[in-house]
Amino acid sequence: MRIVVENLQKKIRISPDKIKKIAYKINLPPKFTNLKLVLYFIRNSLVKKLNKQFFHKNSLTDVISFYLTKDYAEVFIAPCVVKNNAVLYKANFREELYRCIIHGVLHVLGYKDGTKKHKFKMWKRQESLLRKLIYEKD
């Protein structure tokens, strides 16, 4: 797998090296060996536009994923939304950012969260990975 980090927003400092390090720690199944994963960090206005265009929701969200081909996927993360969610859920920003990276990658892997059953399965895997990453040294 190859990971590319593109920071297209300026409000919150993002360290591409740390982001790559975290994303690489999410062990992907062998079928994703040739995957190029691009993690975009974007402004709120762009994530809202993507949410409306592709999911018909006229609202902000923290992360949106697209598994476009067997060799290419994109994950869009809005750091300002992540920061607000961290405050809302009483988490620190780093933890919430890692959660969004994991969530986006899990969608690429095929996890869904449209039903309660799917959401629970995804949440369980996401939080397990998050605990593993949080308690490892960066």
Side-chain angles (χ1 to χ4, degrees), residues 45-93:
S45 59
L46 182 53
V47 80
K48 186 174 181 179
K49 183 177 178 181
L50 291 171
N51 205 18
K52 185 174 185 179
Q53 182 178 353
F54 293 100
F55 301 101
H56 311 292
K57 297 177 181 176
N58 191 23
S59 60
L60 285 173
T61 189
D62 48 8
V63 60
I64 294 178
S65 299
F66 298 101
Y67 182 46
L68 300 169
T69 71
K70 68 181 182 96
D71 295 329
Y72 186 77
E74 297 176 331
V75 176
F76 294 85
I77 298 172
C80 288
V81 176
V82 173
K83 185 177 180 182
N84 291 339
N85 286 348
V87 171
L88 181 67
Y89 300 123
K90 296 176 176 51
N92 66 49
F93 175 74

Side-chain angles (χ1 to χ4, degrees), residues 1 7 16 18 23 25 27 33-34 37-38 45 51 57 62-64 71 90 93-94 106-107 110 115 119 122 128 135:
M1 176 176 65
N7 186 14
K18 280 188 180 181
K25 287 182 180 180
N27 295 323
T33 302
N34 296 322
L37 175 64
V38 184
S45 59
N51 205 18
K57 297 177 181 176
D62 48 8
V63 60
I64 294 178
D71 295 329
K90 296 176 176 51
F93 175 74
R94 181 177 138 241
L106 287 177
H107 274 304
T115 67
K119 191 177 279 192
M122 185 174 190
S128 171
Y135 294 112

